[in-house]
Amino acid sequence: MRVYEVMSKDVETVKPEVHASEAKTRMRQKRIHHLVVVRGTELAGVVSERDLGGPKLPKSLGAYTVADFMTARVVTVTTRTLVRRAAALMQGRSIGSLVVTSANGKLAGIVTVTDLLT
């Protein structure tokens, strides 16, 4: 089985300069736990709900931007990566998602631990 068979294609993106509290609110409204951070069409990072303090919205987030919390060294896989390999990457690095790129390096989706378990 390949990543493209289980990934989410509708990726929520955010710019690095967006206020962290706004990103947290979007995650809560969309019922997601990760946002892919982009500068134009380029991948800049990923930010998770955990990065922003977990499920509760701390009031102190207002002074910070997504760039203050995002992980810039994003682990990516391609749409053709085996699901088994994706799971091993997540487990080995203790991360909850992988950004998925197409063969030409463009953003194609995101795969999470939940995607792999279902």
Side-chain angles (χ1 to χ4, degrees), residues 43-62:
L43 177 62
V46 66
V47 66
S48 71
E49 182 181 57
R50 186 181 300 164
D51 294 334
L52 299 176
K56 294 184 180 174
L57 181 62
K59 294 187 187 309
S60 62
L61 283 180

Side-chain angles (χ1 to χ4, degrees), residues 16-28 35 47-70:
E17 61 272 9
V18 167
H19 286 255
S21 59
E22 182 182 328
K24 181 78 171 238
T25 299
R26 272 184 52 197
M27 283 187 224
R28 191 177 340 155
L35 293 170
V47 66
S48 71
E49 182 181 57
R50 186 181 300 164
D51 294 334
L52 299 176
K56 294 184 180 174
L57 181 62
K59 294 187 187 309
S60 62
L61 283 180
Y64 297 98
T65 65
V66 168
D68 295 317
F69 295 97
M70 73 181 194

Side-chain angles (χ1 to χ4, degrees), residues 13-17 37-44:
T13 61
V14 66
K15 295 179 180 178
E17 61 272 9
V37 185
V38 294
R39 281 191 189 94
T41 59
E42 297 299 315
L43 177 62

Side-chain angles (χ1 to χ4, degrees), residues 45-101:
V46 66
V47 66
S48 71
E49 182 181 57
R50 186 181 300 164
D51 294 334
L52 299 176
K56 294 184 180 174
L57 181 62
K59 294 187 187 309
S60 62
L61 283 180
Y64 297 98
T65 65
V66 168
D68 295 317
F69 295 97
M70 73 181 194
T71 299
R73 298 188 80 202
V74 181
V75 181
T76 63
V77 294
T78 69
T79 55
R80 303 294 300 159
T81 301
L82 291 172
V83 167
R84 184 179 313 145
R85 173 76 176 128
L89 281 170
M90 283 192 237
Q91 182 180 23
R93 296 185 175 170
S94 297
I95 55 177
S97 69
L98 298 168
V99 174
V100 183
T101 59

